[in-house]
Amino acid sequence: AEYEGVKAMSDTHTIQVPTPIAFGQFEKTGQGFALFEYLEFCGGGSQYELGVQLAKMHRFTSDKGFGFHIDNTIGATPQPNSWKSNWADFWDEHRLGHMLRLTGDAGMSKDKVEKLRQKTRELLSHNPLPSIIHGDLWGGNKGFCKKEGKVIPVIFDPATYYGDREADVAMTYLFGGFSSDFYDGYNAEWPLPEGHEKRRTVYNLYHILNHEVLFGGGYLRQAQGMIDQILRY
């Protein structure tokens, strides 16, 4: 699944990714493997250019709608990607609904769950294009590498699917690592539409709920705060 995701991004010929080479399974153990190009990572590099190149990648869209031809993972959590023609339907079933099932409705009553899902559908009625997105774009999955004498931005370790490009940009706000130059570059190439600030909370709730699944700790409380914020919109 990771091979297919990186290949889909590589096929846009926009932002640098580790070029996928091969995948398969070890005969003796049955363990899967994927082989990617070696990249020489380095410091420095332009976050403005990172933003520009990400926006260029997002311009590549699917004629099948929202989803991906294979399910994958977000961290170690299974991520379903069956195709949907409507973005709000996709998010409700395969992202928000999926995480609510994994977290026992995040400790909410059935009434509150229904209100959250309805409000989320309202906020995601902006008819985005089904862009190819990285899907797990926190600061640890981006960097810079040396190639042909230049320092260029690179992204890796994705949870790729076709969805609202805002979901990628939203996650860059969660854990830091992206400067104002990144957002300037992105918006210079393809400005985000009105309302993206509220949708950012919707998209990042998915990742915080996933962190509750993976790590526990205080993430459930953080998610509940985000849910209350969404319901106030």
PDB file of all heavy atoms in Angstrom, residues 34-47:
ATOM      1  N   ALA A  34       9.019  -3.146   0.668  1.00  0.00           N
ATOM      2  CA  ALA A  34       8.971  -2.183  -0.430  1.00  0.00           C
ATOM      3  C   ALA A  34      10.331  -1.517  -0.518  1.00  0.00           C
ATOM      4  O   ALA A  34      10.949  -1.214   0.504  1.00  0.00           O
ATOM      5  CB  ALA A  34       7.881  -1.147  -0.191  1.00  0.00           C
ATOM      6  N   LEU A  35      10.794  -1.312  -1.732  1.00  0.00           N
ATOM      7  CA  LEU A  35      12.119  -0.746  -1.975  1.00  0.00           C
ATOM      8  C   LEU A  35      11.958   0.605  -2.660  1.00  0.00           C
ATOM      9  O   LEU A  35      11.243   0.720  -3.661  1.00  0.00           O
ATOM     10  CB  LEU A  35      12.932  -1.692  -2.856  1.00  0.00           C
ATOM     11  CG  LEU A  35      14.387  -1.313  -3.161  1.00  0.00           C
ATOM     12  CD1 LEU A  35      15.215  -1.317  -1.878  1.00  0.00           C
ATOM     13  CD2 LEU A  35      14.974  -2.285  -4.189  1.00  0.00           C
ATOM     14  N   PHE A  36      12.634   1.622  -2.095  1.00  0.00           N
ATOM     15  CA  PHE A  36      12.539   2.978  -2.631  1.00  0.00           C
ATOM     16  C   PHE A  36      13.933   3.534  -2.905  1.00  0.00           C
ATOM     17  O   PHE A  36      14.942   3.062  -2.364  1.00  0.00           O
ATOM     18  CB  PHE A  36      11.818   3.901  -1.630  1.00  0.00           C
ATOM     19  CG  PHE A  36      10.410   3.492  -1.327  1.00  0.00           C
ATOM     20  CD1 PHE A  36      10.131   2.671  -0.241  1.00  0.00           C
ATOM     21  CD2 PHE A  36       9.362   3.904  -2.122  1.00  0.00           C
ATOM     22  CE1 PHE A  36       8.829   2.275   0.044  1.00  0.00           C
ATOM     23  CE2 PHE A  36       8.062   3.522  -1.847  1.00  0.00           C
ATOM     24  CZ  PHE A  36       7.794   2.703  -0.763  1.00  0.00           C
ATOM     25  N   GLU A  37      13.968   4.547  -3.731  1.00  0.00           N
ATOM     26  CA  GLU A  37      15.203   5.258  -4.052  1.00  0.00           C
ATOM     27  C   GLU A  37      15.872   5.796  -2.787  1.00  0.00           C
ATOM     28  O   GLU A  37      15.198   6.284  -1.873  1.00  0.00           O
ATOM     29  CB  GLU A  37      14.841   6.417  -4.982  1.00  0.00           C
ATOM     30  CG  GLU A  37      15.916   7.448  -5.214  1.00  0.00           C
ATOM     31  CD  GLU A  37      15.380   8.694  -5.899  1.00  0.00           C
ATOM     32  OE1 GLU A  37      14.158   8.933  -5.855  1.00  0.00           O
ATOM     33  OE2 GLU A  37      16.201   9.433  -6.483  1.00  0.00           O
ATOM     34  N   TYR A  38      17.190   5.726  -2.745  1.00  0.00           N
ATOM     35  CA  TYR A  38      17.946   6.353  -1.665  1.00  0.00           C
ATOM     36  C   TYR A  38      18.057   7.846  -1.943  1.00  0.00           C
ATOM     37  O   TYR A  38      18.421   8.265  -3.053  1.00  0.00           O
ATOM     38  CB  TYR A  38      19.353   5.747  -1.560  1.00  0.00           C
ATOM     39  CG  TYR A  38      20.248   6.502  -0.597  1.00  0.00           C
ATOM     40  CD1 TYR A  38      20.134   6.296   0.772  1.00  0.00           C
ATOM     41  CD2 TYR A  38      21.173   7.424  -1.072  1.00  0.00           C
ATOM     42  CE1 TYR A  38      20.946   6.993   1.662  1.00  0.00           C
ATOM     43  CE2 TYR A  38      21.992   8.127  -0.186  1.00  0.00           C
ATOM     44  CZ  TYR A  38      21.869   7.905   1.174  1.00  0.00           C
ATOM     45  OH  TYR A  38      22.664   8.602   2.044  1.00  0.00           O
ATOM     46  N   LEU A  39      17.742   8.646  -0.937  1.00  0.00           N
ATOM     47  CA  LEU A  39      17.866  10.093  -1.055  1.00  0.00           C
ATOM     48  C   LEU A  39      18.837  10.597  -0.001  1.00  0.00           C
ATOM     49  O   LEU A  39      18.825  10.135   1.144  1.00  0.00           O
ATOM     50  CB  LEU A  39      16.503  10.778  -0.868  1.00  0.00           C
ATOM     51  CG  LEU A  39      15.447  10.499  -1.939  1.00  0.00           C
ATOM     52  CD1 LEU A  39      14.106  11.126  -1.546  1.00  0.00           C
ATOM     53  CD2 LEU A  39      15.894  11.022  -3.302  1.00  0.00           C
ATOM     54  N   GLU A  40      19.652  11.565  -0.374  1.00  0.00           N
ATOM     55  CA  GLU A  40      20.613  12.158   0.555  1.00  0.00           C
ATOM     56  C   GLU A  40      19.961  13.355   1.241  1.00  0.00           C
ATOM     57  O   GLU A  40      19.908  14.453   0.696  1.00  0.00           O
ATOM     58  CB  GLU A  40      21.878  12.602  -0.198  1.00  0.00           C
ATOM     59  CG  GLU A  40      22.952  13.147   0.725  1.00  0.00           C
ATOM     60  CD  GLU A  40      24.181  13.636  -0.025  1.00  0.00           C
ATOM     61  OE1 GLU A  40      24.245  13.444  -1.262  1.00  0.00           O
ATOM     62  OE2 GLU A  40      25.059  14.218   0.623  1.00  0.00           O
ATOM     63  N   PHE A  41      19.456  13.129   2.450  1.00  0.00           N
ATOM     64  CA  PHE A  41      18.793  14.199   3.182  1.00  0.00           C
ATOM     65  C   PHE A  41      19.813  15.199   3.717  1.00  0.00           C
ATOM     66  O   PHE A  41      20.969  14.845   3.991  1.00  0.00           O
ATOM     67  CB  PHE A  41      17.963  13.621   4.326  1.00  0.00           C
ATOM     68  CG  PHE A  41      16.675  13.004   3.870  1.00  0.00           C
ATOM     69  CD1 PHE A  41      16.649  11.697   3.400  1.00  0.00           C
ATOM     70  CD2 PHE A  41      15.498  13.730   3.875  1.00  0.00           C
ATOM     71  CE1 PHE A  41      15.465  11.120   2.969  1.00  0.00           C
ATOM     72  CE2 PHE A  41      14.311  13.162   3.449  1.00  0.00           C
ATOM     73  CZ  PHE A  41      14.294  11.860   2.991  1.00  0.00           C
ATOM     74  N   CYS A  42      19.354  16.432   3.886  1.00  0.00           N
ATOM     75  CA  CYS A  42      20.250  17.489   4.334  1.00  0.00           C
ATOM     76  C   CYS A  42      19.434  18.583   5.023  1.00  0.00           C
ATOM     77  O   CYS A  42      18.201  18.575   5.001  1.00  0.00           O
ATOM     78  CB  CYS A  42      21.026  18.078   3.155  1.00  0.00           C
ATOM     79  SG  CYS A  42      19.972  18.850   1.897  1.00  0.00           S
ATOM     80  N   GLY A  43      20.119  19.503   5.636  1.00  0.00           N
ATOM     81  CA  GLY A  43      19.461  20.656   6.239  1.00  0.00           C
ATOM     82  C   GLY A  43      19.208  21.741   5.203  1.00  0.00           C
ATOM     83  O   GLY A  43      19.542  21.601   4.032  1.00  0.00           O
ATOM     84  N   GLY A  44      18.619  22.827   5.677  1.00  0.00           N
ATOM     85  CA  GLY A  44      18.360  23.940   4.768  1.00  0.00           C
ATOM     86  C   GLY A  44      17.179  23.653   3.868  1.00  0.00           C
ATOM     87  O   GLY A  44      16.339  22.815   4.149  1.00  0.00           O
ATOM     88  N   GLY A  45      17.128  24.343   2.764  1.00  0.00           N
ATOM     89  CA  GLY A  45      16.027  24.174   1.836  1.00  0.00           C
ATOM     90  C   GLY A  45      14.956  25.222   2.042  1.00  0.00           C
ATOM     91  O   GLY A  45      14.855  25.844   3.102  1.00  0.00           O
ATOM     92  N   SER A  46      14.135  25.407   1.023  1.00  0.00           N
ATOM     93  CA  SER A  46      13.123  26.457   1.012  1.00  0.00           C
ATOM     94  C   SER A  46      11.754  25.907   1.374  1.00  0.00           C
ATOM     95  O   SER A  46      11.188  25.095   0.635  1.00  0.00           O
ATOM     96  CB  SER A  46      13.070  27.107  -0.379  1.00  0.00           C
ATOM     97  OG  SER A  46      11.925  27.919  -0.516  1.00  0.00           O
ATOM     98  N   GLN A  47      11.206  26.351   2.499  1.00  0.00           N
ATOM     99  CA  GLN A  47       9.846  25.957   2.843  1.00  0.00           C
ATOM    100  C   GLN A  47       8.840  26.603   1.888  1.00  0.00           C
ATOM    101  O   GLN A  47       7.769  26.037   1.636  1.00  0.00           O
ATOM    102  CB  GLN A  47       9.526  26.340   4.294  1.00  0.00           C
ATOM    103  CG  GLN A  47      10.267  25.502   5.310  1.00  0.00           C
ATOM    104  CD  GLN A  47       9.360  24.914   6.375  1.00  0.00           C
ATOM    105  OE1 GLN A  47       8.150  25.103   6.378  1.00  0.00           O
ATOM    106  NE2 GLN A  47       9.947  24.173   7.290  1.00  0.00           N
TER     107      GLN A  47
END
